[in-house]
Amino acid sequence: MDVSTPANAPWLVVGLGNPGPEYAMNRHNVGFMVADLLAERIGGKFKRAGKAQAQVVEGRIGPPGPGSRRVILAKPMSFMNLSGGPVNALRDFYKVPVGNIVAVHDELDIDYGTLRLKLGGGDNGHNGLKSMTKAMGSDYHRVRFGIGRPPGRMQVADFVLKDFSSAERKELDYFVDRAADAVECLVIDGLERAQSTYNS
């Protein structure tokens, strides 16, 4: 955490995806899946967030007492390539420092199910990250969920908007659960601890 960030500042955890049932099981929507699981863990249900084009759940992550962190879980409802607007609106509304924002997203250049956590960096062609960075700079955390590369000559756009394969779905719950654990560790214990535990 940046030294200028107050210890009691809230965290904003953003699952990236596309709204609508037809996208629900797409590889591109794994951020939504992780956000849904985190909401379940804190006992909240997503609801529309005022004027922001997003659904949110507010709660706390971590053990009861001073070790817990206030967190806003969010799913932008604007479609992936326009995620920055809703996230920026939530950041302003909840007064969240950029360093306390976590984007959970699919990542083509990592093998399926592998996690990588980092702070800042480029968008690697990911339209959700591109939109967020344009709206507020790149100094936010990322939890990158590997989906691997498309097979053969399949276009990237087709691959990310397809559902996980039946073979992938056998392990999907486990990997989503692990990604949710990684988000909790990042928020409670910081990036270094989360990287050493979950970067594989």
Side-chain angles (χ1 to χ4, degrees):
M1 191 186 298
D2 186 87
V3 285
S4 61
T5 301
N8 61 350
W11 284 76
L12 175 59
V13 176
V14 182
L16 292 178
N18 287 309
E22 68 272 36
Y23 299 104
M25 289 304 296
N26 286 183
R27 293 182 177 93
H28 224 17
N29 269 42
V30 74
F32 274 19
M33 297 173 199
V34 175
D36 285 337
L37 179 56
L38 287 165
E40 203 178 294
R41 288 183 180 184
I42 65 175
K45 283 205 179 337
F46 278 99
K47 59 181 189 294
R48 217 47 196 206
K51 292 180 181 174
Q53 211 178 349
Q55 291 185 351
V56 297
V57 173
E58 295 179 59
R60 298 191 81 81
I61 282 178
S68 75
R69 299 280 182 269
R70 183 175 166 227
V71 68
I72 298 100
L73 306 173
K75 297 192 294 186
M77 293 285 116
S78 57
F79 286 96
M80 180 71 85
N81 58 351
L82 298 172
S83 301
V87 175
N88 212 24
L90 293 172
R91 176 180 78 99
D92 286 346
F93 181 78
Y94 289 104
K95 300 185 170 36
V96 180
V98 174
N100 275 23
I101 295 174
V102 183
V104 185
H105 64 92
D106 58 306
E107 178 63 65
L108 286 160
D109 286 337
I110 303 175
D111 290 340
Y112 173 60
T114 300
L115 294 177
R116 290 269 195 286
L117 286 76
K118 69 173 189 172
L119 174 63
D123 55 57
N124 208 18
H126 192 287
N127 288 330
L129 297 183
K130 199 175 289 182
S131 180
M132 282 181 62
T133 297
K134 188 176 176 188
M136 60 194 186
S138 63
D139 294 333
Y140 52 90
H141 290 86
R142 298 102 191 276
V143 174
R144 304 156 73 204
F145 186 110
I147 59 169
R149 278 269 167 203
R153 295 172 177 235
M154 187 188 289
Q155 293 295 310
V156 164
D158 294 333
F159 179 69
V160 299
L161 292 175
K162 275 198 164 36
D163 289 358
F164 284 101
S165 69
S166 53
E168 288 169 334
R169 281 202 293 273
K170 288 175 184 165
E171 294 182 294
L172 183 59
D173 286 349
Y174 168 75
F175 289 140
V176 168
D177 194 66
R178 193 163 181 271
D181 289 347
V183 171
E184 291 182 347
C185 183
L186 169 60
V187 169
I188 297 161
D189 298 318
L191 180 61
E192 276 188 38
R193 170 71 66 85
Q195 284 175 324
S196 66
T197 307
Y198 293 98
N199 276 15
S200 47

